[in-house]
């Protein structure tokens, strides 16, 4: 072989060897990346499985942590029994207000507390009422109502004996009436949603009747005032006497002690005098008889 052919074959071999090395390297790199990708995929799957496993555990722990709280709340709600009582209604008929009082479970450990104020109703018929104000010329009458006043509808009627009633134009809660020659009778109906809530009647007397009623009143007011005045004076006197005794208790005690000792001495003197008088009242014949008996007894001995 010639030297030129030898050089060409050597170069060809080097080229083929370099190509083989490059192919092996690329193949190794591909396998490494595939292995790494597969490892990462396995790690991701394991992490996702771990997360999925942890989520039920967390859910179970949260459920376990929430269940005692809910049980405690249920127990606390069951143990606190709220008792409610209702106060007295402000009216005996018609519509009024009352208090709703909580007797157990009040804040701050109070025995009673007002929860709210609500409406209360009584019988519809309130009978004969009294005017809110009157003078010698006019009288002011009021229907049964609570605030707000415009919540209800009011119907005023003029009552006439053995005749049909007259419905007045006034639809307010207050009616002002002037006195006339004859007495008048009025009636007011309080309505809510066309339902009768309360009804009340009034009598408006004439001026002469009013003066007669005022003059014909018995003098009980003056007697009552006199009795109350005397009672107050007596009570004040007794209070002052008690205060004096408490302040000067030592002097009062010594005074009553001296009185008690004098009474005891007098009783003793009277008893002594009684004994002396009984001894003096004995008969003188009793003494010789005793002497004779003594002499006989000595003679017998």
């Amino acid at each position: 072989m010639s030297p030129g052919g030898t050089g060409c074959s050597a170069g060809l071999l080097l080229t083929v060897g370099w190509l083989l090395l490059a192919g092996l390297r690329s193949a190794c790199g591909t396998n490494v990346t595939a292995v790494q990708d597969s490892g990462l995929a396995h790690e991701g799957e394991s992490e996702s499985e771990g997360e999925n496993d942890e989520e039920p555990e967390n859910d179970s722990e949260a459920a376990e942590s929430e269940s005692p709280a809910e049980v405690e709340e249920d127990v606390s709600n069951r143990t606190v029994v709220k008792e409610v009582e209702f106060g007295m209604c402000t009216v005996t008929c018609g519509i009024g207000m009352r208090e709703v009082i909580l007797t157990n479970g009040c804040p701050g450990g109070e025995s009673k507390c007002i929860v709210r104020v609500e409406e209360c109703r009584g019988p519809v018929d309130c009978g004969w009422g009294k005017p809110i104000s009157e003078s010698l010329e006019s009288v002011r009458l009021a229907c049964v109502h609570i605030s707000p006043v415009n919540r209800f509808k009011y119907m005023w009627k003029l009552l006439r004996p053995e005749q049909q009633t007259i419905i007045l134009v006034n639809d307010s809660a207050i009616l002002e009436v002037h006195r006339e020659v004859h007495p008048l009778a009025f009636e007011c109906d309080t309505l809510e949603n066309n339902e009768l809530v309360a009804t009340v009647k009034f009598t408006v007397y004439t001026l002469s009747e009013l003066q007669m009623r005022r003059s014909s009143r018995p003098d009980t007011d003056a007697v009552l005032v006199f009795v109350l005045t005397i009672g107050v004076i007596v009570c004040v006197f007794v209070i002052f006497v008690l205060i004096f005794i408490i302040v000067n208790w030592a002097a009062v005690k010594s005074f009553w002690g001296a009185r008690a000792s004098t009474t005891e001495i007098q009783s003793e003197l009277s008893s002594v005098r009684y004994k002396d008088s009984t001894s003096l009242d004995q008969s003188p014949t009793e003494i010789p008889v005793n002497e004779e008996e003594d002499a006989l007894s000595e003679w017998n001995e």
Side-chain angles (χ1 to χ4, degrees):
M1 294 177 74
S2 62
T6 305
C8 290
S9 61
L12 182 60
L13 290 172
L14 289 173
T15 304
V16 171
W18 182 82
L19 291 172
L20 290 173
L21 289 174
L24 290 172
R25 287 178 181 179
S26 62
C28 290
T30 304
N31 293 329
V32 170
T33 53
V35 171
Q36 289 178 353
D37 292 336
S38 63
L40 291 172
H42 286 297
E43 289 178 358
E45 289 177 357
S46 62
E47 287 178 357
S48 62
E49 289 176 357
E51 288 176 358
N52 292 328
D53 294 332
E54 289 176 358
E55 285 179 358
E57 293 178 358
N58 294 328
D59 293 335
S60 62
E61 290 177 359
E64 291 176 357
S65 63
E66 288 177 1
S67 58
E70 291 177 357
V71 170
E72 289 178 359
E73 289 179 357
D74 294 335
V75 171
S76 63
N77 291 329
R78 291 176 184 174
T79 55
V80 177
V81 179
K82 295 184 179 180
E83 298 178 358
V84 177
E85 66 180 18
F86 300 95
M88 295 293 294
C89 190
T90 56
V91 295
T92 56
C93 65
I95 186 169
M97 304 298 292
R98 68 179 178 184
E99 296 176 348
V100 180
I101 303 171
L102 187 65
T103 59
N104 189 9
C106 293
E110 297 180 358
S111 59
K112 290 185 178 181
C113 56
I114 299 173
V115 179
R116 64 181 183 275
V117 179
E118 65 180 13
E119 295 180 2
C120 58
R121 298 194 181 187
V124 175
D125 189 4
C126 293
W128 294 89
K130 294 182 179 180
I132 56 176
S133 65
E134 60 180 343
S135 63
L136 297 177
E137 296 180 355
S138 63
V139 178
R140 295 189 68 191
L141 311 175
C143 296
V144 177
H145 66 278
I146 58 174
S147 59
V149 181
N150 57 0
R151 168 185 168 185
F152 304 98
K153 182 181 178 181
Y154 309 99
M155 183 183 296
W156 286 96
K157 301 176 184 178
L158 176 61
L159 304 179
R160 298 184 297 177
E162 298 180 358
Q163 293 183 9
Q164 188 177 2
T165 59
I166 299 174
I167 298 176
L168 304 179
V169 181
N170 188 6
D171 59 351
S172 61
I174 306 297
L175 177 65
E176 186 172 358
V177 182
H178 294 277
R179 298 185 189 275
E180 296 185 2
V181 180
H182 302 285
L184 301 174
F186 294 90
E187 182 181 1
C188 179
D189 295 339
T190 304
L191 304 172
E192 184 182 16
N193 298 326
N194 295 326
E195 180 184 357
L196 185 61
V197 176
T199 177
V200 61
K201 301 180 183 69
F202 300 96
T203 299
V204 179
Y205 296 99
T206 60
L207 181 59
S208 59
E209 288 176 345
L210 181 63
Q211 291 176 352
M212 188 180 297
R213 286 171 62 86
R214 289 181 178 178
S215 62
S216 62
R217 286 180 182 176
D219 296 333
T220 54
D221 294 339
V223 175
L224 183 61
V225 170
F226 177 75
V227 172
L228 289 176
T229 305
I230 296 299
V232 170
I233 291 172
V234 171
C235 290
V236 171
F237 177 74
V238 170
I239 291 170
F240 273 110
V241 169
L242 292 174
I243 292 173
F244 177 79
I245 291 172
I246 292 170
V247 172
N248 302 298
W249 175 248
V252 172
K253 189 175 180 181
S254 62
F255 174 75
W256 285 108
R259 288 286 299 274
S261 61
T262 53
T263 53
E264 289 178 358
I265 292 169
Q266 289 177 359
S267 63
E268 289 177 358
L269 289 174
S270 62
S271 62
V272 168
R273 288 175 183 175
Y274 178 74
K275 290 179 181 179
D276 293 339
S277 62
T278 52
S279 62
L280 291 173
D281 289 339
Q282 291 179 355
S283 59
T285 58
E286 293 178 356
I287 298 173
V289 172
N290 293 329
E291 290 178 354
E292 291 177 358
E293 290 178 353
D294 294 337
L296 291 172
S297 61
E298 289 177 358
W299 177 261
N300 292 324
E301 289 177 356

